[in-house]
Amino acid sequence: IMPENKDFVQTFGRKKNSVACALVRAGKGCLRINGVPVDLVEPKILREKVLEPVLLLGQDRFAQQDIRVRVRGGGYTSQIYAIRLAIARGIVAFYSKHMEEFTKREIKETLLEYD
């Protein structure tokens, strides 16, 4: 399902056998994983891992983007790490494509500082 408008970025995150594909576009701050809102991701501890990029950069940076993630393969934990990587890469790519370069660099440094 490819959207008609072209103002989106698609990024991938891999961990072991899991592959996550994140589609980031301008929107209202919706974060969905395999069509399910992120609040319903189980187990709860791993849900916090998925939200790490959001918590690191602040909710206001994510308020203007919708992120849809598709993930397949591997086990629970490797899927969570793949999702996390895809989201972080997606935000950096979106900012470099649609926003200013300085903000993109700032975001990238914040994420790399963490781990």
Side-chain angles (χ1 to χ4, degrees), residues 30-109:
C30 177
L31 179 56
R32 290 180 164 270
I33 292 155
N34 287 345
V36 176
V38 74
D39 302 335
L40 303 177
V41 172
E42 288 298 327
K44 191 168 190 262
I45 291 167
L46 293 178
R47 183 186 317 152
E48 288 170 19
K49 271 291 192 208
V50 168
L51 290 173
E52 267 175 8
V54 180
L55 299 172
L56 274 174
L57 299 174
Q59 192 67 47
D60 54 322
R61 289 242 170 88
F62 284 83
Q64 298 93 22
Q65 286 93 27
D66 282 348
I67 304 174
R68 287 185 14 214
V69 184
R70 285 247 172 259
V71 65
R72 55 177 43 171
Y76 281 142
T77 308
S78 65
Q79 282 190 352
I80 294 295
Y81 278 95
I83 291 167
R84 182 172 163 244
L85 183 59
I87 290 172
R89 280 183 178 166
I91 286 297
V92 170
F94 186 85
Y95 268 86
S96 70
K97 190 174 177 185
H98 299 291
M99 311 287 181
E100 64 277 5
E101 186 66 26
F102 174 74
T103 316
K104 176 219 142 180
R105 196 172 294 121
E106 190 182 333
I107 287 172
K108 197 168 185 175
E109 282 170 8

Side-chain angles (χ1 to χ4, degrees), residues 18-32:
S18 299
V19 179
C21 172
L23 201 70
V24 182
R25 70 174 79 172
K28 303 182 293 284
C30 177
L31 179 56
R32 290 180 164 270

